[in-house]
Each structure stands twice: as structure tokens, then as C-alpha cells.
Amino acid sequence: MLHSRALFKLLWLLLCRTAAVSWAEANISSMLAPQENRVMVLGEWEERWQQGRIGFHQPEVHRMLENNLDKVLAGRTGVRFFFPLCGKAVDMKWLADMGHSVVGVEISEKAIKEFFEENNVTYSEEPVPAISGAKVYKGTERNISLYQCDLFNFSSSVEGQFGAIWDRGSLVAINPRDREKYAALITSLMAKDCRYLLDTLLYNPELYPGPPFFVPDEQVQSLFGNSCDIELLQSVDSLTDRHRGWGLDYLTENVHLITPKST
């Protein structure tokens, strides 16, 4: 009798857990529905760079990185940072000047060259045998290597794993349907001590098609929660006149610290 009760309780708990997971997945799908079919091809991003339509670029070091750098470094020096979809982010030079090394991936050759030229860093250019058609640009005075290629053609076999990742405009820029593939790539690039700083945006996706895309906290948990611990470090109101021009009535910027679960 006691065995039957225990078995019934276990089955009930499993049923409740399955129902909760199904509800959570349905809830995420409902939130993402307005943007789920939005697709930006790589050529469109290159075109934006060629035309100077880069309102997403920030000329100063990002405040969220500055505010939370100590938590990313966690007392470490000479950390290897990865910048997915790096553009010409000045954050890369800022970190390199501190003695850290930086590896970035960007589709636009124009963005990469502008990074080195605008920061007065001389560089070399060479092909990447492991990635067909790719090139890597390496700073001669700073430990910065920027790969010009499709992000999904990059892997740990090219540059190994990293001790830190700064994702300011990558997850929010890739097509929503590619997020699971993206999360798998990012986690494969994380060393055991990696500290991944992820910046996401919350707004009403029915009012703006993106990019940048709406990424709810629930999906961050769904994408990374099985293998990583996730901590919300900061949440700020980031609505500006530019965003109001998109038709938005609110914009919240969240920063998460994601770390591999200890085994």
C-alpha cells in the first residue's frame, strides 16, 4: 500500500512537471509569435554597414559592460573575451588595453577595418583555412583577432574556448528561429570558468518587428538554463526618442550573467 502511494505521488509529480514545462514552452511561443517569422539575411547586415545605417553602434564603452566588468572578470587577469557579431565595438579596444585578449566574429569587412582604423591599431589580414572564404584581421599592437565570416561557421576548433563572452547585440540581432542553434554555439565556446554577459531587450513585439529583437527572460532560461546558472544583474529603462520613433512605449534592457553549472 505504501509502495503504491509513493508510486502515485511520483507519477503525479512527473505529470505536474511535464504540464509546467509544456505551459512554459507555450507561453514563450505566444510571446515570440509576433516576430517568429522575421528574417534578416547576412547581405542585409552588410548593406547596412555599407550605407552607414548603424544606429546600433555605440561610440563609447557600453555602460552595462562597465558596470558589471568586475563580475565578469571575477578577479582574473588576461581573460580571453569572445565578441559575437562584434561590429566595430570600442569595448574590444577598451578590454585589450587592460591586457585581455579579444576574438570577435563579424560578417562586415567594412566594420572590421573601421574598428582598426578608428582606434589607430595596425593590423594584418590572412585567410582562415578552417572556414571557407573567411579572413581574420589581427591587431599588431593589441591581442585582437576579428574573423570576417558567418557566425555559424565559427567554432571552438578555430580559436578554442573562452573565459568571457560579451553579447551586447548578438542574440537580439540573429533571426528568432536561429536562437537554439545560437545557444548551442555559444555554450560550446564557453570554458569551464567562462562568465557570459548577455544583454537583452524587453518591449512589445507587436509594435516593432525588429531587429533588435525582443528576448524575454523566460527564453534566456529555456536556452541556457539546462547547462548554465543564470543571474539577472541589472534591469534598466532604456527607452529613448529613437525607440519611440519605432513606435515603442517602453524598452527595458536586462543584463544576465551566465556561467556553466559545476559538475
Side-chain angles (χ1 to χ4, degrees):
M1 185 66 176
L2 289 175
H3 177 73
S4 297
R5 286 180 178 175
L7 181 60
F8 177 79
K9 185 176 181 180
L10 177 61
L11 290 172
W12 175 251
L13 289 172
L14 289 173
L15 181 62
C16 289
R17 182 178 179 182
T18 302
V21 170
S22 298
W23 179 87
E25 290 176 348
N27 188 44
I28 292 172
S29 296
S30 175
M31 288 190 287
L32 299 177
Q35 295 179 338
E36 64 180 346
N37 296 316
R38 180 78 165 97
V39 174
M40 285 275 290
V41 298
L42 292 179
E44 290 180 81
W45 286 110
E46 290 184 282
E47 187 177 276
R48 287 191 178 200
W49 277 101
Q50 290 298 330
Q51 296 175 350
R53 295 162 51 217
I54 53 170
F56 48 83
H57 173 69
Q58 294 192 1
E60 295 90 26
V61 174
H62 198 284
R63 59 177 177 168
M64 294 297 202
L65 178 60
E66 279 191 299
N67 292 346
N68 296 288
L69 182 61
D70 286 348
K71 292 181 180 176
V72 176
L73 296 179
R76 300 173 297 169
T77 57
V79 176
R80 297 186 73 232
F81 273 83
F82 180 61
F83 277 65
L85 305 187
C86 62
K88 58 176 182 178
V90 298
D91 306 5
M92 296 188 288
K93 172 74 160 42
W94 184 66
L95 289 168
D97 285 345
M98 295 181 189
H100 307 296
S101 60
V102 172
V103 173
V105 173
E106 169 58 48
I107 192 61
S108 170
E109 182 179 44
K110 185 173 189 286
I112 292 173
K113 288 184 174 180
E114 285 184 358
F115 167 78
F116 286 110
E117 291 162 3
E118 292 174 6
N119 289 284
N120 298 311
V121 177
T122 57
Y123 63 92
S124 62
E125 173 187 336
E126 57 190 69
V128 183
I131 307 175
S132 177
K135 290 184 283 188
V136 59
Y137 297 78
K138 297 182 178 181
T140 53
E141 302 99 1
R142 293 289 184 275
N143 198 352
I144 301 174
S145 299
L146 304 185
Y147 286 78
Q148 186 209 350
C149 65
D150 182 339
L151 177 64
F152 290 116
N153 289 336
F154 190 81
S155 70
S156 59
S157 65
V158 179
E159 277 280 356
Q161 294 180 314
F162 298 90
I165 300 173
W166 171 218
D167 185 338
R168 176 253 157 174
S170 188
L171 180 58
V172 298
I174 64 161
N175 296 322
R177 68 184 185 186
D178 292 331
R179 286 178 188 163
E180 286 77 14
K181 181 168 66 168
Y182 178 86
L185 171 62
I186 292 297
T187 52
S188 75
L189 295 173
M190 297 174 70
K192 291 181 180 180
D193 65 344
C194 184
R195 300 177 75 78
Y196 169 29
L197 196 65
L198 170 65
D199 190 59
T200 59
L201 301 174
L202 304 179
Y203 60 82
N204 183 350
E206 294 183 353
L207 299 178
Y208 179 66
F213 296 109
F214 162 74
V215 181
D217 294 352
E218 291 87 346
Q219 189 173 39
V220 173
Q221 185 65 44
S222 172
L223 291 172
F224 298 103
N226 285 338
S227 60
C228 298
D229 293 318
I230 303 169
E231 179 186 358
L232 178 63
L233 296 182
Q234 206 171 349
S235 183
V236 298
D237 177 4
S238 294
L239 187 69
T240 66
D241 288 340
R242 176 169 174 256
H243 304 129
R244 292 187 182 93
W246 298 350
L248 298 182
D249 50 9
Y250 75 92
L251 180 74
T252 301
E253 191 171 2
N254 282 352
V255 172
H256 312 264
L257 182 64
I258 301 176
T259 53
K261 289 181 177 178
S262 55
T263 55

